[in-house]
Amino acid sequence: MAQFVGMMIETEAKEVGIIQSSFGTSGKFKVRFPAGTKAKEGEALSLRFKRYAHDVKKEMVQHGLMSLPKQTQGVRIELEIKKKSKFKKSKGGGGKNGGVKQQQQSNGNQRNTTVTQASEQTSHQQQQQPSSQTAEDTNSSNNDRNKKAATLGEITALKKSNKSVDTTTFIVSGLFTPEMNIRECINMKVLIVSTNETGVVEGPFGKAGKCKVSFQEGATGATIGSKVHLLHSQ
């Protein structure tokens, strides 16, 4: 850009100005018009010059193509944009117009009051409705909890003590996951599906979610592989 500083440039109306300096970093530059200009945004500017074939310096010559006019005093024109106010001041008073405006305003207040009362009634009904729905949901959830199906498991082994088989205690899997604390479920009832015999959880067995289930009167019909249910407390 430095090689063009000081060169003359003209508008479409042949108004001549001079390049003063660059402006920013996007290729823009500042031009001063000594005699003023009527150029508008978007109009083209022309930079005319000559170069001679055997010129070692390869200078850009503008002599004879255009001349810079004399400095004249000008006035900068600034467009004034008047902002219109969105809201107009309402003037109350006598006459037909004033009476109509007041009547419209009172009608509007009446409508607003009616809408407000209706909205308050609706909100009051909405506040009362969830409480009844909550009670119904609570009752239904309690019924579902009471009717909840028992967890299914199966007998995997018989507990051995002193090299003898204990027919009153069985090892059961599938009722609990390894992450569960089986000790919190001690004394929960366990039902053998095939014989309807009932026992209770005695405690954990190992770390794989297995548990020990004891039957005080024994479980004569139970075998390895028999299905059992964990009865949830009601």
Side-chain angles (χ1 to χ4, degrees), residues 155-166:
I155 297 174
T156 57
L158 301 176
K159 183 181 178 182
K160 294 181 180 181
S161 59
N162 297 327
K163 298 182 181 180
S164 61
V165 177
D166 184 4

Side-chain angles (χ1 to χ4, degrees), residues 98-114:
V100 172
K101 289 181 179 179
Q102 290 179 356
Q103 185 176 1
Q104 290 177 353
Q105 185 175 2
S106 62
N107 293 334
N109 293 332
Q110 290 177 357
R111 292 195 202 97
N112 293 333
T113 304
T114 304

Side-chain angles (χ1 to χ4, degrees), residues 87-216:
F87 303 98
K88 295 181 179 180
K89 295 182 180 180
S90 59
K91 296 181 181 180
K96 295 182 180 179
N97 294 331
V100 172
K101 289 181 179 179
Q102 290 179 356
Q103 185 176 1
Q104 290 177 353
Q105 185 175 2
S106 62
N107 293 334
N109 293 332
Q110 290 177 357
R111 292 195 202 97
N112 293 333
T113 304
T114 304
V115 172
T116 304
Q117 291 176 354
S119 62
E120 289 178 354
Q121 292 177 357
T122 303
S123 61
H124 182 66
Q125 292 176 358
Q126 289 177 353
Q127 290 177 356
Q128 291 180 348
Q129 186 175 1
S131 59
S132 61
Q133 290 180 353
T134 304
E136 293 176 358
D137 294 340
T138 303
N139 295 331
S140 62
S141 62
N142 291 332
N143 294 332
D144 292 340
R145 191 181 296 109
N146 293 333
K147 296 179 181 179
K148 184 177 180 181
T151 306
L152 182 65
E154 68 176 11
I155 297 174
T156 57
L158 301 176
K159 183 181 178 182
K160 294 181 180 181
S161 59
N162 297 327
K163 298 182 181 180
S164 61
V165 177
D166 184 4
T167 58
T168 61
T169 304
F170 297 87
I171 308 301
V172 177
S173 65
L175 298 181
F176 305 100
T177 61
E179 295 81 10
M180 295 179 65
N181 186 5
I182 301 177
R183 297 186 185 278
E184 296 179 354
C185 301
I186 291 177
N187 293 328
M188 290 185 67
K189 293 183 180 181
V190 177
L191 175 69
I192 300 177
V193 177
S194 59
T195 62
N196 287 331
E197 295 173 305
T198 304
V200 294
V201 177
E202 186 177 307
F205 182 81
K207 298 182 179 180
K210 295 181 180 180
C211 65
K212 294 180 289 184
V213 179
S214 62
F215 296 84
Q216 293 182 357

